[in-house]
């Protein structure tokens, strides 16, 4: 191989697995230099990561140099092996104290900043948002505890909503609903500001006077909603608006029976997911508040009943576009949900179900232009007279796979679904373990055993070394599974059999907040005692 020129050697390296490339690097300086070229790791990324459907940080890779891209590829390969191995456990866990005496209500990874920043919210006498630096992902076991970077806590203020920006380069980092002691309500949009002397702080960059809660923040666009049927889309920088009015208006507006759970800025549309409805609205035209802003009605509607937890994610396939520039056209929306029941006697056993909103082949960009032209030429009341073709087909289609789950007491009902189809959620102990139904003396032995066993029809699990005395059988657990998505399509042998990743190690303590960064394989769990656990999967 010493006689091969560099171009031929690069061609040979394109056919080698990463392990062989790293081994070849050890043989001589020339091979080491050639193997460190960016083209080598671009090909490895495409052939051995993206084609396998493994989670990968596309935005980071777009501007990464050769050394950084190599690290990203190696990390993605380890992450792929983690999801393909049914018994793999998180490689490292850390815990730190985020508050004293009060539980953590939210934990959210902040886009950008190399995946290092985490925001936490707790509510004491008044609320506080804190930003933490978790350190480099690739650091060793001797990593220091997370470092507080900045906090924000207006005196006497209580936060009732919280959302982070999905655009990593935006000036706006997060938004929160604030209520002061005087009763004034507003939404504050905050940004992370670095000073010339090296300090970092959270600064308010926009204030919106409203009683609605922020649900989504994407660059300059923010969506905030009430707990009934109205949603406002606003460009906070240009101060322009549009109103999305749902089709089901409540009989009693004080009864919060249709709370907004998630809003997705989809392809030429906005998807609004509430506790009892899923509605698709056309992409709105935003107008200044001084004029008559446009009002839009849904062009697609479906109900799953009562949704207890939900996560909607675009199923972007990185092979359909350039890394970091994948188009959302012709991309399905994946909906993973857990339903609830109004019947108190319903079975404890239920499912996590996945549905797909498929692209509508009859939709075109010309259809979107027709809506925009109509909204510019007609009054707000006339927008509803336009009957557009929706970009997605309704009703949603049920995916092939579901995962069993169990009802029970949960302080955190979050479900996090990643773009590749991996999902995490918190599994409660079975509800029947908390009352005496299983101790009915007239019941059979099997009935008593099942009622007292929280693992009856629960996710399969191996023994977890971080718990003792069989506590993993009674405590709530962090569970994971692979659902329909890029990873499962490349590896059809993967079924959504839920497995336990971690068990609550503390007595009389509940998890209250959850976030999951699929691309980096990192999980954050907030607890009722004010602590936060960070799990690195690989």
């Amino acid at each position: 191989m010493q006689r091969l020129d560099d171009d031929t050697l690069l061609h040979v390296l394109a056919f080698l697995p990463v392990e062989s490339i790293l081994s070849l690097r050890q043989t001589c300086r020339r091979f080491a230099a050639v193997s460190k070229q960016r083209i080598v790791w671009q090909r490895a990324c495409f052939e051995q990561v993206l084609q396998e459907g493994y989670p990968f940080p596309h935005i980071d890779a777009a501007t990464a140099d050769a050394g950084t891209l190599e690290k990203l590829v190696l990390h993605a390969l380890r992450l792929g092996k983690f999801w393909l191995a049914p018994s793999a456990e998180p490689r490292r866990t850390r815990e730190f104290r985020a508050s004293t005496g009060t539980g953590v209500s939210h934990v959210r990874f902040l886009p950008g900043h190399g995946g290092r920043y985490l925001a936490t919210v707790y509510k004491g006498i008044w609320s506080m948002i804190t930003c933490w630096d978790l350190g480099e992902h690739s650091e060793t076991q001797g990593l220091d505890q997370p470092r507080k970077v900045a906090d924000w806590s207006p005196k006497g203020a209580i936060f009732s909503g919280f959302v982070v920006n999905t655009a990593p380069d935006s000036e706006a980092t997060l938004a929160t609903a604030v209520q002061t002691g005087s009763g004034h309500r507003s939404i504050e949009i905050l940004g992370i500001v670095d000073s010339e002397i090296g300090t970092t702080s959270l600064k308010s960059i926009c204030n919106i006077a409203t009683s609605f809660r922020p649900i989504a923040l994407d660059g300059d666009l923010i969506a905030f909603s009430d707990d009934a049927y109205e949603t406002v889309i606003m460009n906070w920088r240009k101060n322009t608006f549009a109103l999305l009015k749902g089709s089901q208006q409540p009989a009693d507006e004080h009864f919060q029976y249709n709370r907004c759970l998630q809003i997705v800025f989809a392809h030429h549309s906005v998807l609004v997911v509430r506790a009892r409805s899923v509605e698709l609205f056309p992409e709105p035209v935003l107008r200044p508040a001084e004029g008559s802003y446009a009002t839009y009605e849904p062009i697609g509607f479906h109900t799953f009943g009562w949704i207890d937890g939900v996560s909607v994610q675009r199923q972007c396939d990185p092979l359909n576009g350039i890394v970091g520039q994948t188009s959302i056209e012709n991309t399905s929306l994946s909906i993973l949900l857990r339903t609830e029941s109004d019947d108190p006697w319903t079975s404890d056993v239920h499912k996590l179900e996945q549905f797909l909103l498929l692209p509508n082949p009859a939709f075109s960009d010309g259809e979107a232009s027709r809506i925009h032209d109509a909204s510019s030429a007609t009054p707000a009341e006339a927008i509803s007279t336009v009957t557009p073709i929706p970009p997605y087909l309704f009703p949603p289609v049920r995916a092939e796979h579901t995962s069993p789950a169990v009802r029970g007491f949960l302080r955190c009902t979050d479900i996090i679904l990643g773009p590749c189809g991996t999902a995490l959620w918190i599994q409660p102990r079975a509800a029947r373990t908390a009352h005496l139904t299983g101790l009915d003396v007239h019941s059979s032995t099997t009935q008593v055993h099942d009622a007292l066993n929280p693992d009856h029809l629960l996710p399969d699990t191996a023994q977890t070394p971080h718990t003792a005395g069989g506590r993993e059988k009674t405590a709530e657990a962090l569970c994971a599974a692979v659902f329909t998505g890029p990873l499962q399509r490349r590896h059809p042998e993967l079924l959504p059999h839920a497995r336990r990743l971690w068990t609550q190690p503390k007595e009389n303590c509940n998890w209250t907040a959850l976030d999951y960064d699929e691309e980096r394989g990192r999980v954050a769990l907030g607890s009722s005692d004010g602590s936060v656990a960070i799990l690195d999967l690989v």
Side-chain angles (χ1 to χ4, degrees):
M1 295 199 41
Q2 290 286 359
R3 299 179 180 179
L4 298 178
D5 58 72
D6 285 356
D7 290 341
T8 304
L9 184 56
L10 287 172
H11 184 69
V12 171
L13 292 179
F15 293 92
L16 297 181
V18 165
E19 293 83 356
S20 298
I21 295 176
L22 296 178
S23 298
L24 187 63
R25 174 183 293 178
Q26 307 300 319
T27 60
C28 69
R29 293 180 179 178
R30 177 173 174 247
F31 288 170
V34 173
S35 68
K36 293 180 180 179
Q37 293 189 29
R38 196 176 194 277
I39 184 64
V40 174
W41 296 101
Q42 282 181 315
R43 290 173 176 173
C45 177
F46 183 83
E47 298 288 343
Q48 302 180 46
V49 175
L50 301 185
Q51 283 196 346
E52 295 296 322
Y54 295 159
F56 186 75
H58 308 288
I59 296 178
D60 293 349
T63 57
D65 57 25
T68 302
L69 182 59
E70 176 182 339
K71 293 179 181 178
L72 294 175
V73 170
L74 294 177
H75 181 266
L77 290 173
R78 292 194 298 269
L79 199 54
K81 290 180 180 179
F82 174 88
W83 287 111
L84 295 180
S87 60
E89 296 180 350
R91 179 177 66 90
R92 179 178 62 192
T93 62
R94 290 176 286 159
E95 184 177 294
F96 66 95
R97 177 69 57 180
S99 68
T100 303
T102 52
V104 178
S105 63
H106 296 83
V107 289
R108 291 292 183 270
F109 292 108
L110 301 181
H113 309 283
R116 297 166 56 109
Y117 282 6
L118 176 78
T120 62
V121 181
Y122 76 86
K123 301 174 183 178
I125 299 176
W126 55 76
S127 303
M128 175 177 286
I129 298 173
T130 307
C131 179
W132 305 85
D133 186 346
L134 302 178
E136 293 290 346
H137 189 92
S138 59
E139 294 184 49
T140 63
Q141 296 286 349
L143 184 64
D144 294 333
Q145 284 292 89
R147 176 178 59 88
K148 181 187 291 188
V149 174
D151 54 35
W152 189 77
S153 178
K155 185 176 181 179
I158 298 296
F159 304 153
S160 58
F162 180 78
V163 64
V164 303
N165 204 327
T166 57
D169 298 328
S170 175
E171 177 187 1
T173 302
L174 55 90
T176 183
V178 179
Q179 179 175 351
T180 63
S182 62
H184 176 73
R185 295 185 177 185
S186 63
I187 292 176
E188 292 282 351
I189 299 179
L190 308 178
I192 296 179
V193 179
D194 295 322
S195 69
E196 296 180 355
I197 60 175
T199 60
T200 302
S201 60
L202 283 168
K203 297 291 186 182
S204 176
I205 59 177
C206 182
N207 178 275
I208 306 169
T210 178
S211 61
F212 288 13
R213 292 182 300 110
I215 307 297
L217 182 61
D218 185 11
D220 292 345
L221 292 180
I222 183 172
F224 42 98
S225 178
D226 65 3
D227 292 329
Y229 63 97
E230 288 189 344
T231 298
V232 175
I233 308 297
M234 175 186 179
N235 185 311
W236 60 266
R237 193 181 296 276
K238 297 180 179 180
N239 199 33
T240 52
F241 303 81
L243 176 65
L244 312 182
K245 185 170 290 188
S247 58
Q248 288 190 333
Q249 298 185 10
D252 182 0
E253 294 185 359
H254 298 288
F255 180 53
Q256 300 181 11
Y257 79 102
N258 207 17
R259 184 179 179 86
C260 190
L261 303 177
Q262 188 174 354
I263 294 176
V264 179
F265 296 105
H267 180 51
H268 286 304
S269 58
V270 179
L271 186 71
V272 179
V273 182
R274 293 181 177 271
R276 294 183 182 269
S277 64
V278 177
E279 295 178 314
L280 185 72
F281 293 86
E283 182 179 21
V285 176
L286 307 185
R287 295 176 174 175
E290 294 76 17
S292 57
Y293 55 80
T295 300
Y296 294 82
E297 295 182 353
I299 55 177
F301 175 86
H302 185 71
T303 180
F304 295 104
W306 178 9
I307 299 175
D308 181 48
V310 66
S311 180
V312 182
Q313 186 65 253
R314 298 188 188 96
Q315 284 206 337
C316 291
D317 191 333
L319 293 181
N320 290 339
I322 303 174
V323 174
Q325 301 177 2
T326 304
S327 173
I328 65 172
E329 297 182 15
N330 301 318
T331 299
S332 300
L333 294 180
S334 180
I335 305 173
L336 183 64
L337 58 88
R338 177 179 53 227
T339 58
E340 192 52 274
S341 173
D342 295 314
D343 181 6
W345 304 106
T346 189
S347 170
D348 286 341
V349 180
H350 65 153
K351 297 177 181 179
L352 288 177
E353 298 181 282
Q354 185 183 24
F355 295 83
L356 299 176
L357 272 177
L358 303 177
N360 190 344
F363 180 83
S364 65
D365 289 341
E367 182 68 20
S369 299
R370 185 171 75 89
I371 301 300
H372 283 209
D373 294 341
S375 64
S376 301
T378 62
E381 293 77 7
I383 299 300
S384 61
T385 64
V386 180
T387 307
I389 299 174
Y392 299 92
L393 296 173
F394 272 75
V397 178
R398 186 189 299 271
E400 296 181 5
H401 305 298
T402 61
S403 180
V406 165
R407 301 188 202 281
F409 173 75
L410 272 179
R411 292 187 61 178
C412 177
T413 59
D414 294 341
I415 301 171
I416 312 294
L417 175 66
C420 290
T422 66
L424 269 67
W425 68 95
I426 295 174
Q427 185 78 42
R429 60 180 294 185
R432 291 180 181 177
T433 62
H435 55 64
L436 301 179
T437 304
L439 298 180
D440 184 357
V441 296
H442 300 289
S443 300
S444 66
T445 304
T446 303
Q447 289 174 313
V448 174
H449 173 75
D450 289 344
L452 294 179
N453 180 9
D455 283 338
H456 177 58
L457 291 181
L458 276 179
D460 296 332
T461 177
Q463 292 296 322
T464 48
H466 52 273
T467 56
R471 175 166 169 75
E472 69 276 5
K473 297 296 184 180
T474 59
E476 60 185 4
L478 176 68
C479 292
V482 179
F483 289 86
T484 299
L487 181 59
Q488 194 274 335
R489 283 195 290 269
R490 268 45 171 220
H491 302 273
E493 72 278 5
L494 286 174
L495 298 176
H497 292 317
R499 56 173 172 170
R500 294 192 179 198
L501 295 184
W502 191 251
T503 302
Q504 173 61 261
K506 301 176 183 177
E507 296 285 350
N508 302 318
C509 186
N510 297 100
W511 284 319
T512 54
L514 166 68
D515 199 16
Y516 166 48
D517 186 341
E518 183 188 61
E519 295 178 346
R520 292 179 171 82
R522 180 171 274 182
V523 184
L525 286 162
S527 295
S528 56
D529 67 349
S531 63
V532 174
I534 304 297
L535 280 63
D536 291 321
L537 302 184
V538 296

